[in-house]
Every structure is written in structure tokens, then in C-alpha cells.
Amino acid sequence: MLITHDAECALSILVELLNTAPEACGSEQLPDVAALGSFVVRQEISEVGSLTPADLAAVHALRTQLRDIFSAESTPQAAELVNSVVAAAGTTPRLTNHDQHGWHIHYFAPHAALGDHLAAELGMSLAFIVMAGERERLRRCDAPDCARVFVDLSRNRSRRYCDSRTCGNRLHVAAYRARQRSAEAVVEAVVKAVGAVPAG
Ligand SMILES: [Zn+2]
Ligand SMILES: [Zn+2]
């Protein structure tokens, strides 16, 4: 898949943002402006000014729109949703090489509010996925009690869980214990059967 490093970074921010929603993890992870501020720092989102409750509301609304694109039922529907998110963001693509990152494109307009900034960048990252015909890489975690999302960038599109350190690992452990339990049950049954055989 033709996906640049920048697009990959944007997709990772997209996933982190979607997974802050109560639908994904049970409780709101961006409950106030301070939480939004630390999200911006954690994700190393550049050129963000001081944040207000209006920014928080805009990001919450955008998050819902992006989740709808993520789980769109068809490609035309996804394309239409991407177009409306990106159009509303007032994008102005420009080349930049800030902070020794090498030349890359910023889609957000200079001094854009955070909601518009994210709508432009994350909307475009989804545009590239749709354009590459790779929507099936936009996945929801397979763990039964998990509604987190992820983007499967593995070569053979084999990734099933949101985060190998939590869900994937947890399920591996569960499968291992189940195998162990059934092995123990077999041993127990054999011991019983052997015990039941009359000696001699
Ligand atoms: Zn940049
Ligand atoms: Zn999960």
C-alpha cells in the first residue's frame, strides 16, 4: 500500500482520537480542555494555540464524524463523508520541513483551530486509505469486550486486536489457559481411567 510516513502518523492520531470516545472504552477520555491539551502534547500535534471549551466541543463532534467514516458501510459513503469533513476544515496544503521532520505536507490552514486542524489532517489520511482501496484495514478490535478501533498496517492484513499489549496479549493468555485446562482435564480423565482399571 502506498502510505507515507506522514499519513501513518496521522492515522495513528486518528486511532488514538477515536479510542478516547466513551463508545470505544466505556468512559470519556477527553472530558475537559486540560485532557484535550495533554492529548495534543502526547500526540505531538504541531502549531496548536491555547485551547478553549469551543475547541473541545469541535473535537468531540469531529470524533463522531471520523468514527462514522471509519465504520462506513460502503466506499461511496466513506468518500462522501471524507469530502464533507475535509471541505469544512478549509484546508490549504503546503510543504513544510519544520522541526527537522523532512519535507512533508500540512493540510490544515495556518492558525486553524484544533478541530479544523484535525479535520484536515485526519480527514486526508482517511482520503488516502479510500483512494488506495484499503478501507478493510480500518478495523474494530476482535476482542469480544472491546470496541476500540485500529488501522491494520500489517503486510498481510492479519491484525485482529487493537493493541497487542492489551487485547491481543489478553486473548493469547486466555487461549493458553483454555488449552492448559483441557490438557489437565485429559490427564485427569486418563488418571481416573487408569485408576479404574482393576490391577492384575
Ligand atoms: Zn508537520
Ligand atoms: Zn481491543
Side-chain angles (χ1 to χ4, degrees):
M1 173 172 54
L2 180 72
I3 180 157
T4 63
H5 177 70
D6 302 317
E8 206 174 313
C9 291
L11 287 170
S12 137
I13 295 172
L14 169 75
V15 163
E16 294 300 325
L17 177 64
L18 294 184
N19 286 338
T20 62
E23 304 91 293
C25 58
S27 64
E28 176 60 73
Q29 302 298 300
L30 297 176
D32 49 34
V33 173
L36 183 60
S38 49
F39 178 82
V40 166
V41 171
R42 229 175 23 249
Q43 300 301 323
E44 299 178 10
I45 301 166
S46 63
E47 295 183 47
V48 179
S50 57
L51 298 169
T52 67
D55 291 312
L56 182 65
V59 170
H60 282 170
L62 173 68
R63 191 176 60 185
T64 305
Q65 289 177 299
L66 293 171
R67 198 173 175 93
D68 288 346
I69 299 172
F70 212 90
S71 54
E73 274 165 22
S74 69
T75 300
Q77 190 193 11
E80 196 184 320
L81 292 170
V82 165
N83 284 345
S84 70
V85 162
V86 171
T91 63
T92 54
R94 71 205 132 99
L95 281 159
T96 167
N97 65 347
H98 69 95
D99 300 319
Q100 282 128 36
H101 282 317
W103 289 103
H104 62 286
I105 296 172
H106 279 180
Y107 294 97
F108 64 95
H111 314 297
L114 180 61
D116 288 339
H117 177 141
L118 291 175
E121 296 297 322
L122 308 186
M124 284 306 295
S125 74
L126 285 166
F128 289 124
I129 289 279
V130 171
M131 185 173 75
E134 299 281 5
R135 285 182 56 240
E136 66 170 294
R137 291 183 186 272
L138 307 176
R139 304 251 176 90
R140 201 177 134 154
C141 181
D142 256 6
D145 56 349
C146 183
R148 289 164 59 92
V149 297
F150 65 93
V151 177
D152 181 5
L153 294 176
S154 68
R155 259 176 88 162
N156 54 1
R157 306 171 196 198
S158 58
R159 193 170 154 199
R160 295 174 54 203
Y161 304 112
C162 63
D163 185 329
S164 56
R165 282 165 305 171
T166 56
C167 279
N169 195 35
R170 189 154 53 87
L171 288 179
H172 285 153
V173 169
Y176 171 76
R177 294 226 175 101
R179 277 199 304 277
Q180 224 178 16
R181 265 197 306 276
S182 67
E184 274 164 20
V186 167
V187 169
E188 225 166 86
V190 167
V191 167
K192 259 187 209 153
V194 169
V197 173

